[in-house]
Amino acid sequence: MRVRFSARSDVGLRRDVNQDSYGAKEMPAATLLIVCDGMGGHAAGEVASSLAVETIIEVFAEADSPDSALRAAFTAANAAIYDQGHGSMGTTGVAALFAGSGMHVANVGDSRAYLVREGQITQISRDHSFVSDQVAAGLMTSEEARTSHVRNIITRALGYQPEVQIDIFSAPLRPGDTVLLSSDGMHGLIEDGEIAEIASMLPPDEAAQRLVDTANARGGPDNITVVIAQVDEVDPDGAQAVAAADAPSAPPPSEAAPAQAAAPERPLSRLGMILAGLTLLVLLGAAAFLLVPPPTVIAPTASSATAPPQPTTTATSATPTAPASATPTPGTPGS
Ligand code: CA
């Protein structure tokens, strides 16, 4: 696997401090890219995000299987931040590992990993945010989510609690693919279609700068971080698997208008998260109540006749495509 990448991080126009961090680890047969968006009073967010990046880079072990190496690195980052802040600071974390013939993405929070292929964009990670849960439950459109005043409430963060649940995704890659990692200071202001266009048109370096400039041109309400990787070559051993698997099925493209309002500081209070959870439960309850079919006339016994439709929530790892072929062969020397 050979990738070229470029990164930009900008404080934006309204904040005093850049609480985003990014990093890269280049290994003999793999490349790991990371974006973290810190939160917490004063400079704590900056500390949390940089500590996360450092720890992930330090702990990630190429010799392990990609998924367990990512999990171990994120778990260590969570512990390192919690040890220092005891819940007073936290950070999102998204990391993409390029190895073999595909990528593996670890995610906690609402920073994102996107794949752009032939001009089409797919969000690979799933946001851990209040509005994302509402969209998944059909209670909010993605357009409403993008402009919601509670869009900054996240439901998972690194370092906020002693334990953290980490989502892992995987997707096969082809030469010519572009992968983007970003903090919400970028993707909260720029539509998916625009991101795809910029990433497809320009080399990584210029595309990253263009995305930062565009977010700033729209007010730069938040810190802006973008890491872009261009896939030049995948391992030959993985070529067949890559060819066999089709592009990840794209979710409906979000046509939401960019949010203009200044992003409020991201809330990181236990109360906020609990309230968000409770509100969602109440809304889900109301929806389930409305969906329950009227009782049938001929009820044989006391048992309820039909179960209401179950809203399925996928808790952990999901694979956005057909099962990822990619069991990369780390030892294979790239030609
Ligand atoms: Ca942010």
Side-chain angles (χ1 to χ4, degrees), residues 37 184 222 266:
D37 174 354
D184 64 341
D222 196 0
R266 190 192 289 287

Side-chain angles (χ1 to χ4, degrees), residues 27-246:
M27 294 158 281
T31 303
L32 178 67
L33 302 176
I34 309 152
V35 165
C36 295
D37 174 354
M39 68 211 84
H42 203 50
E46 205 184 353
V47 173
S49 68
S50 58
L51 185 55
V53 168
E54 284 162 23
T55 308
I56 290 167
I57 288 176
E58 191 186 318
V59 173
F60 183 87
E62 195 187 4
D64 294 348
S65 82
D67 291 2
S68 57
L70 284 169
R71 267 184 211 289
F74 270 55
T75 302
N78 185 73
I81 300 163
Y82 188 80
D83 284 351
Q84 201 162 320
H86 300 286
S88 67
M89 60 181 181
T91 182
T92 70
V94 64
L97 174 72
F98 299 85
S101 62
M103 73 167 163
H104 299 258
V105 170
N107 183 55
V108 172
D110 69 349
S111 293
R112 290 183 181 170
Y114 289 103
L115 170 62
V116 179
R117 172 175 294 166
E118 289 161 11
Q120 298 296 310
I121 189 165
T122 307
Q123 185 182 331
I124 301 295
S125 58
R126 190 183 137 216
D127 297 352
H128 301 132
S129 67
F130 177 58
V131 293
S132 170
D133 289 349
Q134 290 207 307
V135 170
L139 300 171
M140 194 184 258
T141 66
S142 51
E143 215 170 292
E144 289 165 340
R146 194 184 282 269
T147 53
S148 166
H149 66 284
V150 291
R151 65 185 180 279
N152 282 344
I153 296 177
I154 59 171
T155 49
R156 274 191 227 174
L158 290 172
Y160 181 57
Q161 288 178 320
E163 307 281 331
V164 70
Q165 200 180 357
I166 302 147
D167 283 359
I168 305 278
F169 306 85
S170 52
L173 292 176
R174 302 174 188 165
D177 284 348
T178 303
V179 173
L180 290 93
L181 304 183
S182 56
S183 65
D184 64 341
M186 190 283 268
H187 60 248
L189 290 173
I190 307 178
E191 291 174 34
D192 287 0
E194 286 182 280
I195 297 171
E197 204 178 306
I198 292 168
S200 307
M201 263 178 7
L202 300 169
D205 201 45
E206 291 172 45
Q209 188 62 50
R210 177 75 63 89
L211 288 165
V212 168
D213 292 346
T214 305
N216 273 328
R218 293 175 186 176
D222 196 0
N223 307 142
I224 308 154
T225 300
V226 189
V227 178
I228 302 185
Q230 180 78 48
V231 179
D232 285 333
E233 216 175 86
V234 297
D235 285 356
D237 285 354
Q240 244 178 351
V242 171
D246 206 353

